[in-house]
Amino acid sequence: MKPGLPPAVAAIALALGLSGCAEDWLGHPGQPDQTPASTAWLWSTATQTLVDDTLAGLPPTVVDHAAYVRTPAPASGLLAGLRMRAWADAVAVRPGHEDWRAPYVTRLKEQLEQVAHPVQPVVLTHAVTTPDDRTDRTDGPLTEGTDDWPDDWRVVTSAAEQADRWVHGLMLLGSGQPAGTIWLDLTAIEDFTPALSLATSLASAGRTVLLLGCMRGSEDRLTACIRALRSTPNEARLFLLIDGLGNPLTAPGLLNIALQQIDLFDRMRYASAYPYPAINTNVSLDRLVMAGLLADDDVAPLRAIYAHNPWLFDLVLKRRLKLPGTSLGFSPDVFGPLPTTDEAPA
């Protein structure tokens, strides 16, 4: 019987396997020499043209309905350690360091400021500590002694006080409207049926509910999310967030399903799930090309964007995706704000 691979070799093989293939290793956006500010002279004409074309067709303000500003759940083991290091590299922080939030936010802020288009991010985070120790606010400083949240960011914190067992730890309430918008995160839920039942109930009762994680699981989960949208009245404010690309193996199937729901585009909205797209093992452009979802000519410009601005990469990629064999992609409204109450989807 042949001996197993040495641990170091096995770890490298695992990392390459998770990335899809060695040639599709997109880069390490956390490296100090790869910053959004460097794009002005490094981008090719093709890359800049791709960005300009993408931004030209978007609503006046792009809204990222869910960017995560929180550490991954603690875990042990080799794979968990690799994931934590990938996360830290992607967001330019030191793994395991207590002062992670300020550099994390600084990194995301740099990326948003380099986009030549108004962008309003909604950041989902842990409870924010304010100088006077109040816990009923979500607009306070990041931590003691650091800068405040940028004025144009909407900060949403976990509503841990909720008693409902399907809401506790999952629901996030928007600052200033505790009876309004709900972010329901399905990412870590194995049995998602009860949570989706709650979502349809709340939306039918007049609450605005945004479903996170439908695009980062199985095809069954995405199909269930779509059924939930279709089971609510047309005026119900239930929205599916295009917040991830699954993983390199499942992304083509998930995108095929989502892009076929033409009549539901007005009930879908863009979310980066940052730093999800910044972790290069989560995206394989080659697989998207092979599946007919992405033009081969877009690959090199997208990789150039990714190396310096993974948030913008995610936006451009999702705008360039097309249902195989067609010119159908997500409509521009998917990348804009939610309709007001008087403009709910008809």
Side-chain angles (χ1 to χ4, degrees), residues 181-207:
T181 306
I182 299 168
W183 281 258
L184 190 58
D185 196 342
L186 309 175
T187 308
I189 304 177
E190 292 186 12
D191 182 7
F192 45 81
T193 302
L196 286 174
S197 296
L198 173 66
T200 57
S201 175
L202 291 170
S204 297
R207 306 284 286 275

Side-chain angles (χ1 to χ4, degrees), residues 63-283:
V63 180
D64 179 352
H65 290 278
Y68 291 104
V69 179
R70 57 190 186 190
T71 56
S76 59
L78 174 62
L79 185 57
L82 288 173
R83 285 174 175 165
M84 175 60 79
R85 288 188 175 277
W87 173 88
D89 181 58
V91 299
V93 303
R94 283 181 286 172
H97 196 268
E98 292 182 1
D99 185 22
W100 63 269
R101 191 190 302 262
Y104 186 134
V105 172
T106 297
R107 183 68 181 176
L108 180 55
K109 187 170 182 287
E110 287 177 348
Q111 294 175 74
L112 297 178
E113 288 177 344
Q114 290 299 318
V115 181
H117 194 97
V119 176
Q120 182 180 34
V122 178
V123 293
L124 309 181
T125 186
H126 301 302
V128 179
T129 303
T130 58
D132 55 359
D133 291 327
R134 285 184 291 172
T135 58
D136 60 342
R137 294 179 55 186
T138 59
D139 58 350
L142 305 176
T143 57
E144 297 286 354
T146 64
D147 293 334
D148 291 348
W149 293 98
D151 292 338
D152 57 341
W153 288 24
R154 183 176 178 196
V155 182
V156 180
T157 59
S158 299
E161 74 280 0
Q162 296 298 319
D164 191 296
R165 67 192 182 101
W166 296 113
V167 176
H168 182 77
L170 306 173
M171 187 166 75
L172 294 142
L173 300 178
S175 173
Q177 48 175 326
T181 306
I182 299 168
W183 281 258
L184 190 58
D185 196 342
L186 309 175
T187 308
I189 304 177
E190 292 186 12
D191 182 7
F192 45 81
T193 302
L196 286 174
S197 296
L198 173 66
T200 57
S201 175
L202 291 170
S204 297
R207 306 284 286 275
T208 298
V209 182
L210 300 134
L211 298 176
L212 282 155
C214 296
M215 296 292 295
R216 281 178 285 154
S218 65
E219 292 185 12
D220 288 344
R221 179 185 294 177
L222 175 58
T223 301
C225 290
I226 292 170
R227 283 200 303 267
L229 262 64
R230 295 193 182 280
S231 69
T232 57
N234 288 337
E235 66 274 11
R237 297 178 62 77
L238 180 64
F239 296 88
L240 187 159
L241 296 185
I242 308 298
D243 65 336
L245 295 176
N247 64 49
L249 296 177
T250 62
L254 292 168
L255 289 167
N256 260 293
I257 294 172
L259 286 166
Q260 291 180 50
Q261 314 305 315
I262 308 171
D263 60 320
L264 291 180
F265 282 175
D266 61 346
R267 300 180 73 178
M268 297 181 183
R269 285 299 183 272
Y270 170 70
S272 68
Y274 183 88
Y276 191 88
I279 299 172
N280 50 23
T281 55
N282 289 333
V283 184

Side-chain angles (χ1 to χ4, degrees), residues 39 43-58 114-117 298 301-302 304-306 309 312-313 315-317 319-320:
T39 60
W43 277 356
S44 66
T45 300
T47 301
Q48 188 62 60
T49 299
L50 186 67
V51 172
D52 292 343
D53 289 348
T54 298
L55 298 178
L58 294 177
Q114 290 299 318
V115 181
H117 194 97
D298 288 344
L302 279 167
I305 297 169
Y306 181 88
N309 194 331
L312 180 58
F313 161 86
L315 176 71
V316 175
L317 173 59
R319 278 287 283 157
R320 302 298 294 184

